[in-house]
Amino acid sequence: MNLILLGAPGAGKGTQAELLTEKLGIPAISTGNMLREAIHNGTEIGLEAKRYMDQGSLVPDDVILGIVRERVSQPDCRNGFILDGVPRTIPQAQALEDMGIRIDHVVSIEISDSVIEARMTGRRVCGHCGASYHIVANPPKKDNTCDLCGGTLEIRKDDAPETVRHRLEVYHRETEALKSFYEKLGKLRLVEGNQPIEDANRAILRAMGV
Ligand code: AP5
């Protein structure tokens, strides 16, 4: 099963992708996490991506498509995968179609900008594996420490309030149009994102008919 999670920054795509990975046994592919890892490792892609990510702008399509093409060809994607944060533009979605990547479901996590702005102030992410937490809604078991890998939790640089506002503008301008793109293909399902994490997860599974 190949799934796309759509939604504004902070809608809960990463959180839901982690839960779905556990429940469905297929990997989550987060372009945001892959780019942050590239920055951390100081690779050429990381250096290019950093200029865009720090400002909350989109990384060029050709960079994204290169890393996605390579990742979905890995053996652990044979039985399916969850795309988190990609596609983000119509050309990216069209390129996935042109690559012959079959998509079974597209779930858009719906949430208002005002809830997102409030949520982002409480987000903490693991500096090692990228897992996402919230100081109130989804705290780690041990203070400031990732439940999954023991890494230290950090505040993402692009979670500064003015950068979040810019990311939301970019979402409405560039990414929201993907909903009509996938609606025309009969694949779009909408799920309410402003509900407890486990409830949202059950709603996503129901929307997928699982
Ligand atoms: P990326 O890392 O993909 O960021 P994003 O899409 O902006 O999404 P976020 O990771 O901010 O949020 P999320 O929806 O995953 O929410 P989360 O689960 O963490 O991209 C970062 C940058 O990389 C982009 O700006 C761009 O520069 C570049 N990039 C990446 N992909 C690209 C692409 N395809 N094309 C071009 N550029 C690309 O949840 C947020 C918080 O809320 C957490 O604290 C969480 O614990 C909490 N939370 C989650 N669900 C709930 C709930 N139900 N109730 C209460 N709190 C909740």
Side-chain angles (χ1 to χ4, degrees):
M1 175 185 301
N2 298 336
L3 165 71
I4 291 175
L5 288 179
L6 286 182
K13 303 180 295 297
T15 303
Q16 294 300 333
E18 277 169 39
L19 290 174
L20 292 169
T21 287
E22 277 170 34
K23 291 184 184 173
L24 302 174
I26 52 176
I29 299 177
S30 158
T31 41
N33 284 349
M34 289 162 82
L35 293 169
R36 279 183 288 277
E37 194 182 338
I39 292 174
H40 181 78
N41 294 333
T43 67
E44 204 176 308
I45 286 179
L47 288 176
E48 182 176 4
K50 187 173 175 6
R51 291 192 285 137
Y52 299 94
M53 292 173 77
D54 281 354
Q55 295 165 16
S57 300
L58 294 183
V59 173
D61 290 340
D62 58 330
V63 175
I64 298 296
L65 292 168
I67 61 176
V68 171
R69 189 182 288 113
E70 208 261 315
R71 182 63 187 90
V72 297
S73 67
Q74 301 291 314
D76 65 331
C77 292
R78 245 191 327 248
N79 295 327
F81 48 80
I82 302 158
L83 293 179
D84 159 16
V86 67
R88 239 172 164 105
T89 62
I90 299 283
Q92 288 182 18
Q94 194 57 60
L96 295 183
E97 294 282 311
D98 297 346
M99 281 181 220
I101 295 178
R102 177 183 50 81
I103 300 297
D104 300 298
H105 303 284
V106 178
V107 175
S108 174
I109 305 176
E110 301 286 300
I111 190 156
S112 72
D113 289 6
S114 54
V115 174
I116 285 170
E117 287 186 38
R119 247 188 209 183
M120 295 304 230
T121 55
R123 173 161 55 183
R124 300 292 180 271
V125 291
C126 175
H128 183 65
C129 76
S132 184
Y133 298 85
H134 190 278
I135 50 175
V136 179
N138 183 25
K141 293 191 180 89
K142 189 175 160 209
D143 255 6
N144 225 27
T145 306
C146 179
D147 294 348
L148 302 180
C149 74
T152 304
L153 304 189
E154 301 169 350
I155 296 178
R156 254 169 61 173
K157 195 168 177 189
D158 60 352
D159 278 351
E162 62 282 8
T163 314
V164 169
R165 278 192 288 276
H166 178 61
R167 288 164 62 202
L168 286 169
E169 278 165 30
V170 171
Y171 168 76
H172 292 303
R173 196 175 61 230
E174 307 274 346
T175 307
E176 211 165 13
L178 289 175
K179 290 203 274 182
S180 332
F181 180 94
Y182 287 113
E183 191 168 27
K184 283 186 198 132
L185 298 178
K187 294 182 175 164
L188 182 73
R189 308 282 177 269
L190 304 183
V191 166
E192 172 58 51
N194 193 15
Q195 55 178 329
I197 291 170
E198 273 299 340
D199 293 354
N201 192 251
R202 276 190 286 274
I204 291 173
L205 290 167
R206 261 198 314 276
M208 293 163 56
V210 177

